[in-house]
Amino acid sequence: MPAKMGRKFQASPLFVRLAVLALVIRFCDAGGIAIYWGQNGLEGTLNQTCDTGRYSYVNIAFLNKFGNGQTPEINLAGHCNPATNGCTIAGSEIKHCQELGIKVMLSIGGGVGNYSIASRKDAKRVAYYLWSNFLGGHSSSRPLGDAILDGIDFDIELGSTQHWENLARYLLGYSKRGRRKVYLTAAPQCPFPDRFLGTALNTGLFDYVWVQFYNNPPCQYSSGNTTNLINSWNQWTTSIEAAKIFMGLPAAPDAAGSGYIPPEVLTSEILPVIERSPKYGGVMLWSKFYDDETGYSSSIKPSV
């Protein structure tokens, strides 16, 4: 006697929609990797950076001279010379990255430079400059060509501690005016609250915050001890009103003075813990040059 043929399963339209929705939610909840690019001419082009498929966010570093009446200057190390309009070639590469779904921000500040915001009025002037030259505004002297960047990253590590919250508010005002959202991101040091950006972060205006959990022994990984790092992460994620918070790390031992975490330690001991936070966004790495040296992002991406 022949065996009965099983009835062929046919998914209902509702089942299919729910399954797709579950995949979308899972994808949206997945973490991403942010990378800083621009401070070493040997780290490859923006096109090459984005074509790796490893990064969801790229911070172009740095606009490191601005504010207090100064003529702003961008420094992209060995990549191009902005004084001769040599960096406008980056415009097509920024667009290429964006076409791949990667958000590209201009990072202002950095560990070396001459920048500050002297007053609320100065913050308004700097915001207008950023909008006109890098975002959705218009200027005859756009340093990175006609590409419209996704937002501004605040990596404020020196100068005045005042008026960064005013700059954030003015930039957000342009977001409401334009056809595209202006993303605000920040890279504070892990001691809480951050000396320079604490007041600005308390505004709740920032979309992504990649905290630098390195060069600060009291709140970083050291010698197999994850306690200080996890405690600091918990403080940041429960105290800051940001859409997503990222763990900022050096991509190589020589990328920072301290705080390097071996990738196997990160993926086995740290990520499973910090991913429980609803504000978990992923990992930020300094920088593309060092990531090329070690392959760090490739090692951790499946777990991020």
Side-chain angles (χ1 to χ4, degrees), residues 132-302:
S132 301
N133 287 274
F134 298 99
L135 300 170
H138 301 281
S139 171
S140 60
S141 59
R142 292 176 68 93
L144 300 179
D146 63 351
I148 300 175
L149 278 80
D150 291 290
I152 302 297
D153 175 60
F154 289 51
D155 184 9
I156 309 305
E157 302 183 32
L158 51 86
S160 173
T161 62
Q162 298 182 335
H163 304 297
W164 299 110
E165 73 280 7
N166 294 323
L167 179 59
R169 289 192 179 102
Y170 284 124
L171 286 170
L172 189 64
Y174 285 114
S175 181
K176 296 176 181 177
R177 179 185 305 182
R179 289 176 294 177
R180 295 172 57 161
K181 173 181 171 62
V182 175
Y183 285 86
L184 297 182
T185 70
Q189 305 284 318
C190 59
F192 188 89
D194 182 81
R195 178 188 168 201
F196 294 97
L197 291 172
T199 302
L201 291 172
N202 282 338
T203 63
L205 300 178
F206 286 79
D207 298 285
Y208 309 127
V209 177
W210 10 80
V211 184
Q212 298 183 49
F213 290 100
Y214 51 94
N215 292 333
N216 288 286
C219 50
Q220 69 183 33
Y221 172 86
S222 59
S223 303
N225 186 346
T226 64
T227 302
N228 290 345
L229 176 69
I230 298 298
N231 288 343
S232 181
W233 168 267
N234 289 337
Q235 183 175 29
W236 277 96
T237 54
T238 56
S239 304
I240 294 297
E241 292 184 15
K244 294 294 180 183
I245 296 179
F246 294 65
M247 178 161 285
L249 300 171
D254 54 342
S258 60
Y260 174 76
I261 303 176
E264 63 275 11
V265 174
L266 181 68
T267 57
S268 65
E269 300 181 31
I270 298 169
L271 289 181
V273 176
I274 69 173
E275 286 173 349
R276 298 170 189 165
S277 169
K279 292 184 181 177
Y280 169 78
V283 174
M284 175 274 280
L285 295 176
W286 176 268
S287 61
K288 173 59 164 52
F289 173 75
Y290 292 107
D291 191 32
D292 285 345
E293 277 192 341
T294 62
Y296 198 95
S297 63
S298 296
S299 300
I300 68 170
K301 185 173 174 58

Side-chain angles (χ1 to χ4, degrees), residues 26-61:
R26 182 178 179 184
F27 176 79
C28 291
D29 286 345
I33 297 176
I35 197 74
Y36 278 84
W37 175 94
Q39 286 301 293
N40 194 302
L42 301 178
E43 64 193 342
T45 65
L46 268 177
N47 276 356
Q48 292 168 335
T49 297
C50 294
D51 285 344
T52 63
R54 301 194 299 261
Y55 313 118
S56 300
Y57 314 88
V58 174
N59 295 317
I60 298 178

